[in-house]
Structure formats: C-alpha cells, structure tokens
Amino acid sequence: MHILLVNDDGPPNKRLSPYVRPLVDELHAAGHQVSVAIPAASRSWIGKAHIIEASLTASFVHPDSFRDDGSWDEHFTPSAESADLRDWVVIQNGTPASCAQLGLYSLFTDRPPIDIVISGPNHGRNASTIYNLSSGTVGGALEAVFCGQRGIAISFGSKDPQPGDVIGAAARHAVRVVDHLLGHWDERVELYNINVPMRIDVETQPILYTRTLPYYWSRGCLYAEVEPQTRSEMADSSLMNGVHKEQREEAAQAGVTGVNGVNGVEKQVRKKRHFKWSADLSDMKKRLQESEEGTDAHTVLNGSTSVTALRANFWHVPGLEGPLHLE
C-alpha cells in the first residue's frame, strides 16, 4: 500500500511529536510505501482548518536530519544505510488538512497513487465529540475523505513521556490494526478513529469497536485573561472606543464624563482585554474517566484499543423536513 501520512504535532520532536517516526518506521517494516507531509509547527486543536491568508512553503527533508527539538539540518548528508529513505515534506503554515490536500494532489506525483491517508499518531487521546471535532489529527483524516480518499486517524493515548519499548509496542500494534482495517474495510465507513493506550502489553489487550462519547463544555475553560505584556499594548489603552486620551480630557473639562467617539454622548470607556490559550480540562478528564462502557473514552482509559467507525458529515435530524410554518 502507498500511504500518505500527515499529522498535527509537526516534525519529530522529543517533547511535542515523539511518536511520528516510530510509526513511519513500522509502516515501512510492514512493507508499505509511506509519503510524509506534515506541518512545520504544532497545529493541535485546529480541526480541518486551512489558513487561507498564509502562503505555504514545502521543504523536502531527510528523516534522519531532524533534531530533538523538531528543527533539522539543512546540510545533512545521509549515510549509505539511510540513503534510500525518501524525504519527508515539512510545510510552513501547513495544517493537517492542507498537508492532506497537497500530499494527495501536488507533492508526490512521481510516486504511485495513494491508497490511504493516515493522520497521526497524535500525542495524546482523541476520544469524545469535542476532541474529535477539534482535533487536527481527526481533521487530517476528514480532509482525506473530502478528497475522495479513505482516512484513518490514530492517537497514542498519553502526553506523558514514554519509554522506547512502550512507543515501539504502540507503533507495531497500530500498524497491525491498520492492516486489518485495510483488508476488511466496511463500505459504510469513510474514516476510522483509533485510540491506542500507551502500555507495554498493548499488543495483547482487546481491540474494540466503540461509539463516540458525547461531551459539551460545562464552563469556559480554554482561555485565561492576562495583563498587557508590551509597551505597545499598554499604549493602545490610550485609545478607548475610538477616542484618544486627549479627547477624553477635553470632554472631561467640558463636563462630559465619557464619550463614544461618534456623537459625544456619555458612555463608560472600557479598556482592551487580553486572553491567551490556557486550557483547564479537569472537568473533561473527570467526565472521560466516568464515561460509559462501549465509548471510545472508556475503552482507551481502561487499557484497550478503541476503533470508532465514522462518516464525515453532520447528519440531519430525521423527521424535520418540508415547509416550516411561522406562527
């Protein structure tokens, strides 16, 4: 099989993307041809997004040239043993979805047609509706479907550092699951979402078909408010609601306590507010730990591999059809 592999964690990186090279090596060992197209930086939580205002630059990089921090040696010369390894493609401003698009249509035209797109392996689980609909890993597989190709999303279920033998076991196990699905693909399925628990005995643990755990945010927990960090940000506070500080002072001398920048009507002036990504997922983790048997979350958290068969659509609610009559 010719496999296109994309991900959302970016180039091999000891901290952020420790799983991609072991999986690619195992796919090669199983006899597959693998073409790799990945973002130049982490693109987690980006779903199936394309960054339309950014131009994309594809760099062809020998897989042995990557450093532990995800950078690479542009002057790298491969050894005789690795000279036959094909370059990976690293895409500046890339997302999993754009990597899938370019990988399928533009980057590997000198190679045989691609048979399947694998997205991952993600550094951590992708179980429950919020993760699946937010995940760049699942987004890469979704993009494959919209390009007329089958997709498989793979997630290795831990962000904690893992020893090499555990990563190796997870990679071997994932390839066996992939090979089985390729040989027994259900025609109703457009993509599979696989979650592999990180444990040394993963290859002897059950593999279960699962359903996706429904989950909704119970509170705002992804962003935290922060104070301005730069002089320019602090200076910006002199411009409030379109009114400069000098104008406000003049208005105050005239007996007007606040203006809105349009017609001088009194209005409380409000400063800018700053927020940054600061995910507090404690409520979600508790819900996942309490999830029902048969769901993806329950399965992977209890040490088994979850395989969730999906179709790439938001399906309509049956019965709501025909004219809508307003009262």
Side-chain angles (χ1 to χ4, degrees):
M1 287 276 186
H2 183 193
I3 296 170
L4 170 64
L5 186 133
V6 303
N7 76 356
D8 73 350
D9 292 321
N13 182 307
K14 193 171 184 179
R15 183 174 63 91
L16 298 175
S17 186
Y19 302 145
V20 62
R21 180 65 188 267
L23 181 64
V24 172
D25 288 347
E26 286 298 329
L27 289 168
H28 280 305
H32 298 292
Q33 180 180 4
V34 185
S35 296
V36 178
I38 54 180
S42 174
R43 288 289 182 260
S44 294
W45 287 87
I46 203 166
K48 204 183 75 61
H50 296 271
I51 306 174
I52 60 174
E53 75 278 9
S55 61
L56 308 182
T57 302
S59 299
F60 290 75
V61 181
H62 192 278
D64 286 347
S65 70
F66 290 107
R67 306 184 182 100
D68 285 348
D69 63 356
S71 63
W72 61 90
D73 180 359
E74 295 184 355
H75 305 290
F76 177 82
T77 301
S79 64
E81 293 77 15
S82 63
D84 59 341
L85 291 178
R86 302 295 293 268
D87 285 347
W88 293 15
V89 179
V90 182
I91 301 176
Q92 190 71 33
N93 293 323
T95 66
S98 61
C99 290
Q101 277 264 348
L102 294 180
L104 286 169
Y105 297 129
S106 303
L107 297 173
F108 307 111
T109 55
D110 59 331
R111 305 182 191 181
I114 290 168
D115 300 300
I116 185 78
V117 176
I118 291 179
S119 186
N122 190 63
H123 189 202
R125 294 182 300 272
N126 276 309
S128 81
T129 49
I130 279 183
Y131 275 118
N132 290 354
L133 293 172
S134 304
S135 162
T137 300
V138 178
L142 281 169
E143 186 69 25
V145 173
F146 290 116
C147 294
Q149 186 57 266
R150 296 176 296 176
I152 297 178
I154 301 176
S155 298
F156 285 2
S158 179
K159 284 188 174 295
D160 297 326
Q162 299 293 319
D165 55 353
V166 172
I167 297 174
R172 290 192 302 271
H173 180 64
V175 171
R176 289 186 62 203
V177 174
V178 166
D179 282 343
H180 175 85
L181 294 175
L182 290 174
H184 303 83
W185 197 279
D186 189 301
E187 63 181 11
R188 298 168 295 177
V189 178
E190 292 181 317
L191 69 153
Y192 287 99
N193 184 33
I194 301 172
N195 281 279
V196 177
M198 298 306 284
R199 48 188 296 171
I200 190 62
D201 62 347
V202 64
E203 294 169 282
T204 64
Q205 297 304 305
I207 306 166
L208 304 174
Y209 284 113
T210 60
R211 63 185 184 275
T212 303
L213 172 73
Y215 184 80
Y216 301 86
W217 297 125
S218 58
R219 58 187 175 87
C221 59
L222 294 181
Y223 298 93
E225 190 161 7
V226 296
E227 293 299 320
Q229 298 298 310
T230 67
R231 287 182 178 273
S232 61
E233 286 176 331
M234 296 175 69
D236 282 346
S237 65
S238 67
L239 181 64
M240 301 176 186
N241 291 347
V243 182
H244 285 280
K245 181 180 178 181
E246 294 79 4
Q247 293 174 285
R248 296 198 305 274
E249 291 174 346
E250 292 174 1
Q253 292 173 1
V256 179
T257 58
V259 293
N260 66 2
V262 178
N263 54 19
V265 177
E266 288 193 23
K267 182 177 181 181
Q268 183 178 1
V269 176
R270 189 175 186 182
K271 296 180 180 179
K272 291 182 179 179
R273 299 173 66 186
H274 299 262
F275 298 85
K276 71 174 183 178
W277 180 265
S278 181
D280 174 7
L281 304 180
S282 54
D283 289 355
M284 170 182 276
K285 290 178 180 177
K286 181 180 178 181
R287 173 69 180 100
L288 297 184
Q289 290 166 355
E290 297 171 347
S291 56
E292 298 80 12
E293 186 174 354
T295 61
D296 49 6
H298 180 278
T299 298
V300 69
L301 286 172
N302 282 272
S304 299
T305 297
S306 71
V307 177
T308 310
L310 299 171
R311 294 189 65 82
N313 60 45
F314 289 100
W315 200 241
H316 68 277
V317 176
L320 295 180
E321 301 172 2
L324 191 156
H325 299 289
L326 300 180
E327 296 180 358

